[in-house]
Amino acid sequence: DTAVSQTPKYLVTQMGNDKSIKCEQNLGHDTMYWYKQDSKKFLKIMFSYNNKELIINETVPNRFSPKSPDKAHLNLHINSLELGDSAVYFCASRTSGENWGETQYFGPGTRLLVL
Amino acid sequence: RKEVEQDPGPFNVPEGATVAFNCTYSNSASQSFFWYRQDCRKEPKLLMSVYSSGNEDGRFTAQLNRASQYISLLIRDSKLSDSATYLCVVNRANFGNEKLTFGTGTRLTIIP
């Protein structure tokens, strides 16, 4: 029944490694997002995809590469992990269209710790 | 200057009290406005949208002042379960480039 799911829930890894986080939504939404919430709890958008097409890329280092194999999935691959990448990464989705008030539904988050 | 500014708190309020949060936004082109709630170690969830005319949902009232670029949330008769971080969210929506910008959140603790 989970609307937006993410795997893994926790990820502990060494600096320099490459890792991926997966996101899936079963809401039939067209638009998906990745957000980063840092240790100060500030939530900031990283990317958004609409129907598998990249719409927003908020000056994120190119070590971060999103991939959307279909509109229900948006994965995030991170190369050469750095200490500063430690954060909670949230996936979200919404339906698209002219009604800009549509709710974004967030996944449970992936807690990434880089050692 | 941050796009969305909130008082981070924390606000420690006795059960049953009324509490108000404020938020200001810098981009006058912002189109829509929301309050989200985030519980500890959980994802943000929509609490309510904010309309120009003001809107109410049970004990919660949201107001928007476009001229002053100011949004507020009022919680009446606060309950222990209202303890959470409240995020002011602004949507700068150009077609095909919708973007939610979150404030840093205001932490609320309701004290029995």
Side-chain angles (χ1 to χ4, degrees), chain A residues 39-82:
Chain A
S39 56
K40 293 193 167 103
K41 308 297 182 192
F42 183 49
L43 191 65
K44 192 167 162 52
I45 191 167
M46 299 173 70
F47 300 103
S48 89
Y49 269 73
N50 180 270
N51 277 318
K52 305 194 297 173
E53 185 184 336
L54 179 66
I55 301 296
I56 294 174
N57 179 342
E58 283 289 301
T59 59
V60 175
N62 57 16
R63 297 183 296 105
F64 290 79
S65 49
K67 278 194 174 51
S68 182
D70 55 62
K71 69 177 200 181
H73 295 84
L74 180 62
N75 304 324
L76 184 65
H77 188 76
I78 317 171
N79 288 326
S80 303
L81 277 154
E82 299 178 357

Short mmCIF file of all heavy atoms in Angstrom, two decimals, chain A residues 39-82:
data_model
loop_
_atom_site.label_atom_id
_atom_site.label_comp_id
_atom_site.label_asym_id
_atom_site.label_seq_id
_atom_site.Cartn_x
_atom_site.Cartn_y
_atom_site.Cartn_z
N SER A 39 21.97 18.07 8.02
CA SER A 39 21.97 17.90 9.48
C SER A 39 21.23 19.03 10.19
O SER A 39 20.76 18.87 11.31
CB SER A 39 23.40 17.80 10.01
OG SER A 39 24.12 18.94 9.60
N LYS A 40 21.11 20.17 9.52
CA LYS A 40 20.37 21.30 10.10
C LYS A 40 18.89 21.22 9.73
O LYS A 40 18.13 22.14 9.96
CB LYS A 40 20.94 22.62 9.61
CG LYS A 40 22.33 22.90 10.12
CD LYS A 40 22.74 24.35 9.87
CE LYS A 40 23.99 24.68 10.65
NZ LYS A 40 25.20 24.71 9.87
N LYS A 41 18.50 20.11 9.14
CA LYS A 41 17.09 19.82 8.79
C LYS A 41 16.58 20.66 7.64
O LYS A 41 15.37 20.74 7.42
CB LYS A 41 16.15 20.00 10.01
CG LYS A 41 16.59 19.24 11.23
CD LYS A 41 16.58 17.76 10.99
CE LYS A 41 16.97 16.98 12.21
NZ LYS A 41 17.24 15.57 11.88
N PHE A 42 17.49 21.32 6.89
CA PHE A 42 17.05 22.14 5.77
C PHE A 42 16.79 21.23 4.57
O PHE A 42 17.67 20.49 4.15
CB PHE A 42 18.12 23.19 5.46
CG PHE A 42 17.74 24.14 4.38
CD1 PHE A 42 16.51 24.78 4.38
CD2 PHE A 42 18.60 24.38 3.34
CE1 PHE A 42 16.16 25.65 3.38
CE2 PHE A 42 18.26 25.26 2.32
CZ PHE A 42 17.04 25.89 2.34
N LEU A 43 15.59 21.29 4.04
CA LEU A 43 15.16 20.42 2.94
C LEU A 43 15.28 21.18 1.63
O LEU A 43 14.65 22.22 1.45
CB LEU A 43 13.71 20.00 3.19
CG LEU A 43 13.11 18.91 2.33
CD1 LEU A 43 13.81 17.58 2.56
CD2 LEU A 43 11.63 18.76 2.64
N LYS A 44 16.08 20.64 0.70
CA LYS A 44 16.34 21.37 -0.54
C LYS A 44 16.16 20.45 -1.74
O LYS A 44 16.63 19.31 -1.72
CB LYS A 44 17.77 21.90 -0.49
CG LYS A 44 18.10 22.92 -1.56
CD LYS A 44 19.39 23.62 -1.24
CE LYS A 44 19.98 24.33 -2.45
NZ LYS A 44 19.08 25.22 -3.15
N ILE A 45 15.51 20.98 -2.76
CA ILE A 45 15.28 20.18 -3.95
C ILE A 45 16.60 19.96 -4.69
O ILE A 45 17.46 20.84 -4.73
CB ILE A 45 14.23 20.84 -4.87
CG1 ILE A 45 13.80 19.86 -5.97
CG2 ILE A 45 14.74 22.14 -5.45
CD1 ILE A 45 12.58 20.29 -6.73
N MET A 46 16.77 18.77 -5.23
CA MET A 46 17.95 18.46 -6.04
C MET A 46 17.55 18.36 -7.51
O MET A 46 18.13 18.99 -8.38
CB MET A 46 18.57 17.14 -5.59
CG MET A 46 19.03 17.13 -4.15
SD MET A 46 19.56 15.48 -3.64
CE MET A 46 21.07 15.29 -4.56
N PHE A 47 16.58 17.48 -7.79
CA PHE A 47 16.17 17.20 -9.17
C PHE A 47 14.67 17.04 -9.23
O PHE A 47 14.04 16.63 -8.25
CB PHE A 47 16.77 15.87 -9.66
CG PHE A 47 18.26 15.80 -9.66
CD1 PHE A 47 18.92 15.10 -8.67
CD2 PHE A 47 19.00 16.41 -10.67
CE1 PHE A 47 20.31 15.02 -8.66
CE2 PHE A 47 20.38 16.33 -10.67
CZ PHE A 47 21.03 15.63 -9.66
N SER A 48 14.11 17.32 -10.41
CA SER A 48 12.75 16.84 -10.67
C SER A 48 12.68 16.30 -12.09
O SER A 48 13.39 16.77 -13.00
CB SER A 48 11.70 17.92 -10.44
OG SER A 48 11.47 18.67 -11.60
N TYR A 49 11.86 15.27 -12.25
CA TYR A 49 11.64 14.62 -13.54
C TYR A 49 10.15 14.64 -13.82
O TYR A 49 9.34 14.39 -12.94
CB TYR A 49 12.10 13.15 -13.49
CG TYR A 49 13.52 12.94 -13.91
CD1 TYR A 49 14.56 13.33 -13.08
CD2 TYR A 49 13.84 12.35 -15.13
CE1 TYR A 49 15.87 13.13 -13.46
CE2 TYR A 49 15.14 12.15 -15.52
CZ TYR A 49 16.16 12.56 -14.68
OH TYR A 49 17.47 12.36 -15.06
N ASN A 50 9.81 14.91 -15.08
CA ASN A 50 8.43 14.81 -15.51
C ASN A 50 8.37 13.85 -16.69
O ASN A 50 9.01 14.10 -17.71
CB ASN A 50 7.88 16.19 -15.89
CG ASN A 50 6.43 16.12 -16.33
OD1 ASN A 50 6.14 15.95 -17.50
ND2 ASN A 50 5.53 16.25 -15.39
N ASN A 51 7.62 12.77 -16.53
CA ASN A 51 7.54 11.76 -17.59
C ASN A 51 8.92 11.36 -18.11
O ASN A 51 9.18 11.37 -19.31
CB ASN A 51 6.69 12.25 -18.76
CG ASN A 51 5.22 12.05 -18.49
OD1 ASN A 51 4.82 11.00 -17.97
ND2 ASN A 51 4.42 13.04 -18.82
N LYS A 52 9.79 11.05 -17.19
CA LYS A 52 11.16 10.58 -17.45
C LYS A 52 12.10 11.66 -17.98
O LYS A 52 13.24 11.38 -18.33
CB LYS A 52 11.18 9.39 -18.43
CG LYS A 52 10.31 8.22 -18.02
CD LYS A 52 10.61 6.98 -18.81
CE LYS A 52 10.31 7.16 -20.28
NZ LYS A 52 10.75 6.02 -21.11
N GLU A 53 11.63 12.91 -18.05
CA GLU A 53 12.48 13.96 -18.58
C GLU A 53 12.93 14.89 -17.44
O GLU A 53 12.11 15.30 -16.61
CB GLU A 53 11.70 14.77 -19.60
CG GLU A 53 12.50 15.84 -20.31
CD GLU A 53 11.63 16.67 -21.24
OE1 GLU A 53 10.57 16.16 -21.67
OE2 GLU A 53 12.00 17.82 -21.50
N LEU A 54 14.24 15.20 -17.39
CA LEU A 54 14.77 16.07 -16.35
C LEU A 54 14.23 17.48 -16.52
O LEU A 54 14.34 18.08 -17.59
CB LEU A 54 16.31 16.09 -16.43
CG LEU A 54 17.03 16.97 -15.42
CD1 LEU A 54 16.84 16.44 -14.00
CD2 LEU A 54 18.51 17.06 -15.76
N ILE A 55 13.63 18.01 -15.43
CA ILE A 55 13.05 19.35 -15.48
C ILE A 55 13.88 20.32 -14.65
O ILE A 55 14.13 21.44 -15.05
CB ILE A 55 11.60 19.33 -14.95
CG1 ILE A 55 10.73 18.37 -15.76
CG2 ILE A 55 11.00 20.72 -14.91
CD1 ILE A 55 10.56 18.77 -17.20
N ILE A 56 14.25 19.91 -13.45
CA ILE A 56 15.00 20.78 -12.55
C ILE A 56 16.28 20.08 -12.15
O ILE A 56 16.27 18.91 -11.78
CB ILE A 56 14.18 21.10 -11.27
CG1 ILE A 56 12.96 21.93 -11.62
CG2 ILE A 56 15.04 21.81 -10.23
CD1 ILE A 56 12.04 22.16 -10.43
N ASN A 57 17.39 20.82 -12.23
CA ASN A 57 18.66 20.34 -11.69
C ASN A 57 19.23 21.52 -10.91
O ASN A 57 19.67 22.51 -11.50
CB ASN A 57 19.59 19.92 -12.83
CG ASN A 57 20.94 19.45 -12.30
OD1 ASN A 57 21.33 19.72 -11.16
ND2 ASN A 57 21.67 18.74 -13.12
N GLU A 58 19.16 21.42 -9.59
CA GLU A 58 19.50 22.58 -8.77
C GLU A 58 20.97 22.62 -8.44
O GLU A 58 21.38 22.44 -7.30
CB GLU A 58 18.67 22.55 -7.47
CG GLU A 58 17.24 22.98 -7.68
CD GLU A 58 17.11 24.46 -7.95
OE1 GLU A 58 17.54 25.27 -7.11
OE2 GLU A 58 16.58 24.81 -9.01
N THR A 59 21.81 22.84 -9.42
CA THR A 59 23.26 22.99 -9.23
C THR A 59 23.82 21.94 -8.28
O THR A 59 24.56 22.25 -7.34
CB THR A 59 23.65 24.40 -8.74
OG1 THR A 59 22.97 24.66 -7.49
CG2 THR A 59 23.27 25.44 -9.75
N VAL A 60 23.43 20.74 -8.51
CA VAL A 60 23.95 19.62 -7.72
C VAL A 60 25.23 19.14 -8.39
O VAL A 60 25.30 19.11 -9.63
CB VAL A 60 22.88 18.49 -7.70
CG1 VAL A 60 23.40 17.27 -6.99
CG2 VAL A 60 21.60 18.99 -7.06
N PRO A 61 26.27 18.76 -7.62
CA PRO A 61 27.51 18.27 -8.26
C PRO A 61 27.21 17.12 -9.22
O PRO A 61 26.30 16.32 -8.99
CB PRO A 61 28.32 17.76 -7.06
CG PRO A 61 27.80 18.48 -5.88
CD PRO A 61 26.36 18.76 -6.15
N ASN A 62 27.99 17.03 -10.29
CA ASN A 62 27.68 15.99 -11.27
C ASN A 62 28.08 14.59 -10.81
O ASN A 62 27.96 13.63 -11.56
CB ASN A 62 28.26 16.33 -12.65
CG ASN A 62 29.75 16.54 -12.59
OD1 ASN A 62 30.41 16.17 -11.62
ND2 ASN A 62 30.29 17.14 -13.64
N ARG A 63 28.54 14.47 -9.57
CA ARG A 63 28.69 13.13 -8.96
C ARG A 63 27.31 12.50 -8.72
O ARG A 63 27.19 11.29 -8.54
CB ARG A 63 29.41 13.22 -7.62
CG ARG A 63 30.84 13.74 -7.71
CD ARG A 63 31.52 13.73 -6.35
NE ARG A 63 30.89 14.63 -5.40
CZ ARG A 63 30.11 14.23 -4.39
NH1 ARG A 63 29.84 12.95 -4.21
NH2 ARG A 63 29.60 15.11 -3.56
N PHE A 64 26.28 13.35 -8.69
CA PHE A 64 24.92 12.87 -8.48
C PHE A 64 24.25 12.73 -9.85
O PHE A 64 24.15 13.71 -10.59
CB PHE A 64 24.11 13.88 -7.64
CG PHE A 64 24.54 13.96 -6.22
CD1 PHE A 64 25.67 14.69 -5.86
CD2 PHE A 64 23.83 13.31 -5.22
CE1 PHE A 64 26.08 14.75 -4.52
CE2 PHE A 64 24.23 13.38 -3.89
CZ PHE A 64 25.35 14.10 -3.55
N SER A 65 23.80 11.52 -10.17
CA SER A 65 23.14 11.34 -11.46
C SER A 65 21.80 10.62 -11.26
O SER A 65 21.77 9.45 -10.87
CB SER A 65 24.03 10.58 -12.44
OG SER A 65 24.55 9.42 -11.85
N PRO A 66 20.71 11.34 -11.49
CA PRO A 66 19.40 10.72 -11.41
C PRO A 66 19.12 9.94 -12.69
O PRO A 66 19.63 10.27 -13.76
CB PRO A 66 18.46 11.91 -11.30
CG PRO A 66 19.17 13.03 -11.97
CD PRO A 66 20.64 12.77 -11.86
N LYS A 67 18.29 8.89 -12.53
CA LYS A 67 17.89 8.13 -13.72
C LYS A 67 16.44 7.72 -13.54
O LYS A 67 16.07 7.19 -12.49
CB LYS A 67 18.76 6.89 -13.89
CG LYS A 67 20.09 7.17 -14.56
CD LYS A 67 20.78 5.92 -15.03
CE LYS A 67 22.04 6.21 -15.81
NZ LYS A 67 22.98 7.14 -15.16
N SER A 68 15.65 7.93 -14.58
CA SER A 68 14.23 7.58 -14.51
C SER A 68 13.93 6.58 -15.61
O SER A 68 13.66 6.97 -16.75
CB SER A 68 13.38 8.84 -14.67
OG SER A 68 12.01 8.53 -14.57
N PRO A 69 13.94 5.27 -15.28
CA PRO A 69 13.69 4.25 -16.32
C PRO A 69 12.24 4.28 -16.82
O PRO A 69 11.98 3.92 -17.97
CB PRO A 69 13.99 2.93 -15.61
CG PRO A 69 13.92 3.23 -14.16
CD PRO A 69 14.24 4.68 -13.99
N ASP A 70 11.33 4.70 -15.96
CA ASP A 70 9.92 4.88 -16.35
C ASP A 70 9.32 5.87 -15.36
O ASP A 70 9.96 6.22 -14.38
CB ASP A 70 9.15 3.55 -16.36
CG ASP A 70 9.24 2.82 -15.04
OD1 ASP A 70 8.77 3.38 -14.02
OD2 ASP A 70 9.81 1.72 -15.00
N LYS A 71 8.09 6.30 -15.62
CA LYS A 71 7.61 7.42 -14.80
C LYS A 71 7.27 7.02 -13.37
O LYS A 71 7.03 7.87 -12.54
CB LYS A 71 6.47 8.16 -15.48
CG LYS A 71 5.18 7.43 -15.59
CD LYS A 71 4.15 8.36 -16.22
CE LYS A 71 2.76 7.86 -15.90
NZ LYS A 71 1.71 8.68 -16.47
N ALA A 72 7.30 5.73 -13.07
CA ALA A 72 7.05 5.29 -11.69
C ALA A 72 8.33 5.17 -10.86
O ALA A 72 8.27 4.92 -9.66
CB ALA A 72 6.32 3.95 -11.70
N HIS A 73 9.48 5.33 -11.51
CA HIS A 73 10.75 5.12 -10.81
C HIS A 73 11.69 6.29 -11.05
O HIS A 73 11.79 6.81 -12.17
CB HIS A 73 11.44 3.84 -11.32
CG HIS A 73 10.70 2.59 -11.00
ND1 HIS A 73 9.66 2.11 -11.79
CD2 HIS A 73 10.82 1.73 -9.96
CE1 HIS A 73 9.19 1.00 -11.24
NE2 HIS A 73 9.86 0.75 -10.15
N LEU A 74 12.37 6.69 -9.98
CA LEU A 74 13.44 7.68 -10.11
C LEU A 74 14.55 7.27 -9.16
O LEU A 74 14.37 7.26 -7.95
CB LEU A 74 12.94 9.09 -9.76
CG LEU A 74 13.99 10.19 -9.88
CD1 LEU A 74 14.50 10.31 -11.31
CD2 LEU A 74 13.42 11.53 -9.40
N ASN A 75 15.68 6.89 -9.72
CA ASN A 75 16.81 6.43 -8.92
C ASN A 75 17.87 7.52 -8.86
O ASN A 75 17.92 8.41 -9.72
CB ASN A 75 17.38 5.14 -9.53
CG ASN A 75 16.31 4.06 -9.65
OD1 ASN A 75 15.44 3.94 -8.80
ND2 ASN A 75 16.37 3.28 -10.72
N LEU A 76 18.69 7.44 -7.82
CA LEU A 76 19.75 8.43 -7.64
C LEU A 76 21.06 7.69 -7.44
O LEU A 76 21.19 6.91 -6.49
CB LEU A 76 19.45 9.32 -6.43
CG LEU A 76 20.43 10.46 -6.16
CD1 LEU A 76 20.40 11.48 -7.30
CD2 LEU A 76 20.10 11.15 -4.84
N HIS A 77 22.00 7.91 -8.34
CA HIS A 77 23.32 7.29 -8.22
C HIS A 77 24.32 8.37 -7.79
O HIS A 77 24.30 9.48 -8.34
CB HIS A 77 23.75 6.68 -9.56
CG HIS A 77 25.00 5.88 -9.44
ND1 HIS A 77 25.03 4.61 -8.88
CD2 HIS A 77 26.27 6.18 -9.77
CE1 HIS A 77 26.27 4.16 -8.89
NE2 HIS A 77 27.04 5.09 -9.43
N ILE A 78 25.14 8.03 -6.81
CA ILE A 78 26.13 8.99 -6.32
C ILE A 78 27.50 8.37 -6.46
O ILE A 78 27.77 7.29 -5.91
CB ILE A 78 25.88 9.36 -4.84
CG1 ILE A 78 24.38 9.61 -4.57
CG2 ILE A 78 26.70 10.60 -4.47
CD1 ILE A 78 24.04 9.76 -3.10
N ASN A 79 28.36 9.05 -7.19
CA ASN A 79 29.75 8.60 -7.37
C ASN A 79 30.67 9.27 -6.35
O ASN A 79 30.40 10.39 -5.91
CB ASN A 79 30.26 8.97 -8.77
CG ASN A 79 29.62 8.12 -9.84
OD1 ASN A 79 29.34 6.95 -9.63
ND2 ASN A 79 29.40 8.72 -11.00
N SER A 80 31.73 8.58 -6.02
CA SER A 80 32.81 9.17 -5.20
C SER A 80 32.25 9.90 -3.98
O SER A 80 32.45 11.11 -3.81
CB SER A 80 33.64 10.16 -6.03
OG SER A 80 34.17 9.53 -7.16
N LEU A 81 31.55 9.18 -3.16
CA LEU A 81 30.87 9.78 -2.01
C LEU A 81 31.82 10.57 -1.13
O LEU A 81 32.97 10.17 -0.90
CB LEU A 81 30.17 8.68 -1.20
CG LEU A 81 28.80 8.31 -1.78
CD1 LEU A 81 28.42 6.89 -1.41
CD2 LEU A 81 27.75 9.30 -1.32
N GLU A 82 31.33 11.72 -0.64
CA GLU A 82 32.10 12.59 0.24
C GLU A 82 31.38 12.69 1.59
O GLU A 82 30.18 12.43 1.68
CB GLU A 82 32.22 13.98 -0.39
CG GLU A 82 32.93 13.98 -1.73
CD GLU A 82 33.00 15.36 -2.38
OE1 GLU A 82 32.44 16.33 -1.80
OE2 GLU A 82 33.61 15.46 -3.46
#
